[in-house]
Structure formats: structure tokens, C-alpha cells
Amino acid sequence: MTLTNNYHIAVPTAFHKNEELNIEATLEHIQHLNKLGIHSVLVCGSTGEQHSLSLNEKLELIDHLSLLKVDSDFELIFGVSSIRQVEAQQLAKKINKIPQISAILIGYSPYVLPTQKEALHYTNAIIEAANKQAIIYNNPLRTGFDLSIESYKDLINHNLVSGIKEAGDPRKVLELNKATDTPLHYFAGGEKKLEQKIEFGYNGLSSIAGNLYPNEVKQWFDSLLANETNQDYHSLKGKIAKIFENSPLPFIKNEISKTENINFGICRTPLGN
């Protein structure tokens, strides 16, 4: 079963003032988005401050997903990335047993700099352990590692790979679109340069601004895909620009707390310093 939605919101992880994990607030925000008509979210991605979470915290978060009150067709994607492959596989094995999780987002480790061959082994091991639909997430700016076109071509032949999230060179999406007949979701990571990315063949959005403006962002994204230019989104673009003026996560968490009446807390320092 492939992923249905080409639009999901990458939700932050809530923390208490002492920086301890706040699962209740995290789930409340997801439920709020679903009530507004959102059908898919990404949990524990980079907006979820994934690499600040310990393996035990990720497992604890997963254990509480059964408490989510969302629609039956709601798609939840869970981020899987670790400096230690054995921990990523342990997390993936846990995810395999959780029906609330529809797919995984496989990211690469910061600083480690694996070879392409090592990265392929890491990716395939996680896919095998989770046995769920997978999105491959390449973000060389954050990790220092850049998945090659050749490695992408190897991975997209896997029957469980539903999409890619390419945050590096958008020309890779253009090339992959030409190289395969396999229908894939090509997710843009956030709203920056979204118009240009769609021109390169991106057909999905992993939204950051959607945490605050979920339906407005989706409407704008859908209009871009349909090449509709009859509506002015200048106001929304101004709101999005404000999010990214400084550090976006502290801003988003503060706005969630105010607008949703949720004590969403802080970021783990140094974010929010």
C-alpha cells in the first residue's frame, strides 16, 4: 500500500521547560491539525528535533501513539535516523508493530559521512526492519552526506519506497523523474523556493509553515501543482517569511501554544537560546 497524501505537516516535538519530552502536547497538536482537515503528519523529523531525542524517548513516543484520536484514514509518518544503525533498526522493528504508523522517513546521520555503499546498506536494513512504506530523506546541508543519483536509482526500485525528500540539489528530482516510470512522491522539505522546486518535478510537500497555517499552505501548494495563477497568496507568503526570519522552531512552538491553547513548551537548547 503506497502513501495516499502528497501533503503532510512536519510537526515539532513538545518539551517541558526542563527540556523533558512532552508527549501529551505533541499528540494534542496532531489532533488539532486533523480536526482542521489535515490527513497526514510527519513525527520525529528534523522539525521534531529528531537527533536531540534518545532512542528510549522515541520508543516512548511511539508507545503513546495508540492514544491519538484521529480519523481512520490518517497517515502518520515517523522519522528514523541515527548515528548508530543498530538503534535505527531497533526503532524500525518497533515501528513494524505499530498500526498507527503508515510509513517511515529514513534520514542519514550527521557528521558520520558514510560511503554510498554504507548508506545503501543502512537504508535497506531499516526498510527491512520496518517493513512499511518508506520515504528517503537526503539533506546534505544538515548531515554532510549527499545521496548520489546512482544510489537513489538503486533504492527507488524497492517496492516499499514510496517517495523521496530531496533537500539538496533539486535537479536530482528532475533526473529521477526521467529515469523511472515508478510513480513516486517527491517531497519538498518546507516552503522555501517551493515554486522553483515544483518546476523541477516536486509533487509533494513536507510542510513546516503548515503547523500554523495548515489549510492555507495546502491550498497554495495545490494551486502551484495545478499551475493556477488566479489567486494572490502574498499574505500567506508574508506569514511564511516571518516564520523563517530567525530560528523557525521556537517561533512555531510559541505560536502553537498561543493559538491552540497548548503548553507546547520550548526547544532543547541551543535552539531557542
Side-chain angles (χ1 to χ4, degrees), residues 150-199:
E150 290 72 25
S151 295
Y152 261 134
K153 289 178 180 178
D154 184 276
L155 290 169
I156 62 177
N157 289 323
H158 198 294
N159 66 307
L160 286 175
V161 174
S162 293
I164 69 169
K165 183 177 176 181
E166 173 57 52
D169 186 352
R171 290 172 294 184
K172 288 182 179 177
V173 169
L174 186 64
E175 189 168 342
L176 287 171
N177 255 322
K178 294 177 180 177
T180 179
D181 294 326
T182 304
L184 292 171
H185 292 302
Y186 296 99
F187 290 100
E191 288 73 21
K192 287 185 177 180
K193 298 183 179 179
L194 184 58
E195 293 98 333
Q196 296 94 317
K197 287 180 178 178
I198 287 174
E199 291 177 4

Side-chain angles (χ1 to χ4, degrees), residues 101-267:
I101 299 177
S102 306
I104 57 173
L105 177 84
I106 302 176
Y108 296 96
S109 311
Y111 192 81
V112 176
L113 297 180
T115 65
Q116 295 296 318
K117 184 177 180 180
E118 288 168 337
L120 284 174
H121 182 86
Y122 162 93
T123 309
N124 284 312
I126 293 171
I127 293 173
E128 181 180 344
N131 196 32
K132 298 209 178 204
Q133 293 298 310
I135 301 167
I136 310 302
Y137 182 23
N138 184 50
N139 193 336
L141 179 65
R142 286 183 180 267
T143 66
F145 168 78
D146 192 8
L147 193 69
S148 70
I149 280 288
E150 290 72 25
S151 295
Y152 261 134
K153 289 178 180 178
D154 184 276
L155 290 169
I156 62 177
N157 289 323
H158 198 294
N159 66 307
L160 286 175
V161 174
S162 293
I164 69 169
K165 183 177 176 181
E166 173 57 52
D169 186 352
R171 290 172 294 184
K172 288 182 179 177
V173 169
L174 186 64
E175 189 168 342
L176 287 171
N177 255 322
K178 294 177 180 177
T180 179
D181 294 326
T182 304
L184 292 171
H185 292 302
Y186 296 99
F187 290 100
E191 288 73 21
K192 287 185 177 180
K193 298 183 179 179
L194 184 58
E195 293 98 333
Q196 296 94 317
K197 287 180 178 178
I198 287 174
E199 291 177 4
F200 278 106
Y202 286 77
N203 57 12
L205 175 59
S206 184
S207 176
I208 297 172
N211 282 288
L212 305 182
Y213 316 110
N215 291 311
E216 289 176 76
V217 172
K218 186 178 188 306
Q219 185 179 10
W220 175 48
F221 172 61
D222 288 342
S223 73
L224 291 174
L225 286 182
N227 198 27
E228 295 174 352
T229 58
N230 58 340
Q231 191 165 342
D232 183 12
Y233 290 94
H234 180 75
S235 175
L236 175 62
K237 290 179 182 179
K239 294 176 183 177
I240 292 172
K242 186 173 179 60
I243 292 174
F244 293 98
E245 277 181 0
N246 293 296
S247 187
L249 274 177
F251 180 88
I252 288 171
K253 290 185 176 186
N254 186 54
E255 290 299 306
I256 289 172
S257 294
K258 288 194 299 184
T259 60
E260 299 176 28
N261 197 27
I262 297 173
N263 185 14
F264 212 78
I266 62 172
C267 294

